[in-house]
Amino acid sequence: MKPLLAIPLLLMLAAPVHALIMVHKGNDPTQDQNWPDGSVNVANLKTRAGFWEGPPFGGGRYVFEYQGDNAALQDAIDLFAKVKSPELRVIIHDGRNKGFFCGGNDKDKDAPGMDWSFTVWTPENFHRLYSGGNREIISAADPSGNLGKAIEPPTIDVYLGAGRIDWKQIKLPPNLKVTDERATAAGYAPADGSVCRGQVFEMVGSKPLAGATVRIDSATAKTDADGKFESKNVPPGSHPIIVTAPGHASRVIGYASFATDTLKQYTVQLAPAARVAGIVKDQSGQPVPNATVRADGIVALDGSGYILPERMEVSADAEGKFEMTGLPAGTLHFYTYTRGFAPLDVLTKYKAPADQLELRVTATGTIKGRVVDATGKPDPTAQIAIYPEGGSKAGKWSASGNLDANAAFSFDSVPPGRYVVSPFPGRQFTNQPDPAAKTVEVKAGQTTQVEVTK
């Protein structure tokens, strides 16, 4: 059996977490999800091809996709201007975006894509994700720059690459904030192609950082004495934008899509490079050799999430000692593991730089079993979920998975403790009773057998 998920719930929020982006095709009316007043009128336009909800960590960000001509877009813009929000944003893009519903899943590379989209957040979800105690957790996987910021305003993104919209014909109400992401609109010549420009600063002292390298796919640029950079003719496609400089931690400042006339602008701060070193020990204080140590939830000195170009992961030596270099000065979490051991301190926050750290792991056990139907016959079509007694909790081990052909399952490296085993993954996040669930106790070095009936 290959588990679908077998990780500490470091990403668990206070409310149920959506494991996948939820999609809804068509334009039948949707309900207001506590959006700013007037948003639901834009959401329910008949030109809508569908909508999806994300991100995976908690949901609440709704993106509605539309296809139409100038008149249809003008209707959308006029309704959008009536939304009651401190800011209403319109962004113009030169390229195509097929989205989920306008050719994104088609083999036809020439599918025109959507003409515009409307994005709006449910405020509760945004603040739970980006403003609370999850900032270090989410920063490990999200370069959006939303950490600690005000909620994203309702936004219409217009994509001119589909060829149905003549932007010059659209009349804009004065209360809309418009950003034109076309390089030619900023004065560049068509021969310059797509452009990425900006300025890089030192995070400590906020001085311009000269000599930094900005890499976008095969295109690179160097910052001048004022820390400014400009890269022309960026290749079309979606690329990570990576900034490096001697003595500083490299940083991914975003993932941007470029067409043939795109302009992206960034203001970047690079943190000083930091080193951390320490030792991995078991629950009795003995060194654990060859353990894997991974840096997670990295946050820089200024409180921003800091995305490294590559996963920061090292192996401890035969004496359990490890060292990491190239981290940004700030704070981080560690996820430490090896065969037969699981981490004890995944929610502990550490400072960087640091020396003589002690990371603790615990010896683990195994849970094996099978799922049967009401008649006692093995049911290989079922799934299995295992979570701590009392419910899933941040920092605690939890797992789910499919069954093999004999309806059997097996999970190794389970930390000692009491667990609920259920053939209904996700039931713990609902108010529904689960009479099929069984509680077992896992002990280090031992295998626990269990059979559950679906």
Side-chain angles (χ1 to χ4, degrees), residues 101-126:
F101 310 99
C102 304
N105 296 321
D106 295 344
K107 295 181 180 179
D108 181 8
K109 295 182 180 180
D110 296 324
M114 73 178 87
D115 293 291
W116 70 92
S117 66
F118 168 52
T119 303
V120 64
W121 272 91
T122 297
E124 178 185 1
N125 295 66
F126 182 92

Side-chain angles (χ1 to χ4, degrees), residues 264-281:
K264 296 291 184 181
Q265 304 182 77
Y266 297 92
T267 299
V268 187
Q269 289 192 324
L270 289 189
R275 168 187 174 274
V276 297
I279 188 170
V280 180
K281 295 183 177 182

Side-chain angles (χ1 to χ4, degrees), residues 347-417:
L347 293 184
T348 301
K349 186 190 300 184
Y350 297 89
K351 291 184 178 181
D355 207 350
Q356 298 182 341
L357 296 176
E358 282 195 8
L359 305 182
R360 292 297 181 115
V361 295
T362 180
T364 59
T366 298
I367 298 178
K368 290 186 176 182
R370 67 173 187 164
V371 179
V372 298
D373 61 22
T375 67
K377 294 181 179 180
D379 183 2
T381 65
Q383 293 183 319
I384 198 70
I386 305 173
Y387 53 91
E389 185 179 41
S392 297
K393 299 175 182 178
K396 299 298 183 180
W397 186 94
S398 183
S400 63
N402 298 316
L403 307 177
D404 65 18
N406 298 313
F409 60 89
S410 178
F411 289 94
D412 300 320
S413 301
V414 183

Side-chain angles (χ1 to χ4, degrees), residues 23 35 58 63 74 109 111 174 177 280 375 397 426:
V23 298
W35 303 317
V63 180
Q74 188 67 64
K109 295 182 180 180
K177 179 181 179 180
V280 180
T375 67
W397 186 94

Side-chain angles (χ1 to χ4, degrees), residues 130-424:
Y130 292 115
S131 303
N134 307 300
R135 56 186 297 119
E136 294 90 353
I137 296 171
I138 298 301
S139 72
D142 180 23
S144 66
N146 286 325
L147 290 173
K149 292 186 177 180
I151 188 170
E152 285 185 357
T155 301
I156 282 184
D157 288 90
V158 181
Y159 299 93
L160 304 180
R164 288 182 288 257
I165 301 298
D166 180 0
W167 181 248
K168 295 179 181 178
Q169 303 302 315
I170 302 300
K171 298 179 180 179
L172 294 170
N175 62 322
L176 303 184
K177 179 181 179 180
V178 180
T179 301
D180 196 328
E181 288 199 344
R182 293 176 294 173
T184 53
Y188 288 94
D192 294 327
S194 290
V195 178
C196 183
R197 69 185 184 186
Q199 194 169 15
V200 180
F201 294 89
E202 294 180 331
M203 188 172 288
V204 177
S206 297
K207 294 182 179 180
L209 185 54
T213 299
V214 182
R215 187 172 77 251
I216 313 106
D217 191 54
S218 59
T220 60
K222 288 280 189 180
T223 57
D224 61 18
D226 294 322
K228 295 181 179 180
F229 68 91
E230 181 182 68
S231 184
K232 299 179 180 179
N233 292 302
V234 177
S238 182
H239 312 298
I241 301 173
I242 301 171
V243 184
T244 61
H248 294 78
S250 300
R251 187 172 196 176
V252 178
I253 60 172
Y255 295 84
S257 294
F258 293 86
T260 57
D261 183 19
T262 304
L263 174 64
K264 296 291 184 181
Q265 304 182 77
Y266 297 92
T267 299
V268 187
Q269 289 192 324
L270 289 189
R275 168 187 174 274
V276 297
I279 188 170
V280 180
K281 295 183 177 182
D282 64 18
Q283 68 271 32
S284 63
Q286 296 300 309
V288 177
N290 307 317
T292 298
V293 182
R294 186 177 74 228
D296 282 333
I298 301 170
V299 173
L301 290 169
D302 65 350
S304 65
Y306 208 98
I307 313 301
L308 300 175
E310 297 179 356
R311 172 182 285 185
M312 183 63 71
E313 186 174 277
V314 299
S315 295
D317 63 18
E319 297 178 343
K321 295 180 180 179
F322 71 94
E323 179 185 47
M324 289 182 175
T325 58
L327 290 163
T331 62
L332 72 160
H333 299 266
F334 291 103
Y335 183 64
T336 310
Y337 63 97
T338 189
R339 185 171 181 82
F341 289 88
L344 282 174
D345 51 5
V346 292
L347 293 184
T348 301
K349 186 190 300 184
Y350 297 89
K351 291 184 178 181
D355 207 350
Q356 298 182 341
L357 296 176
E358 282 195 8
L359 305 182
R360 292 297 181 115
V361 295
T362 180
T364 59
T366 298
I367 298 178
K368 290 186 176 182
R370 67 173 187 164
V371 179
V372 298
D373 61 22
T375 67
K377 294 181 179 180
D379 183 2
T381 65
Q383 293 183 319
I384 198 70
I386 305 173
Y387 53 91
E389 185 179 41
S392 297
K393 299 175 182 178
K396 299 298 183 180
W397 186 94
S398 183
S400 63
N402 298 316
L403 307 177
D404 65 18
N406 298 313
F409 60 89
S410 178
F411 289 94
D412 300 320
S413 301
V414 183
R418 292 177 63 82
Y419 293 88
V420 176
V421 183
S422 169
F424 299 107

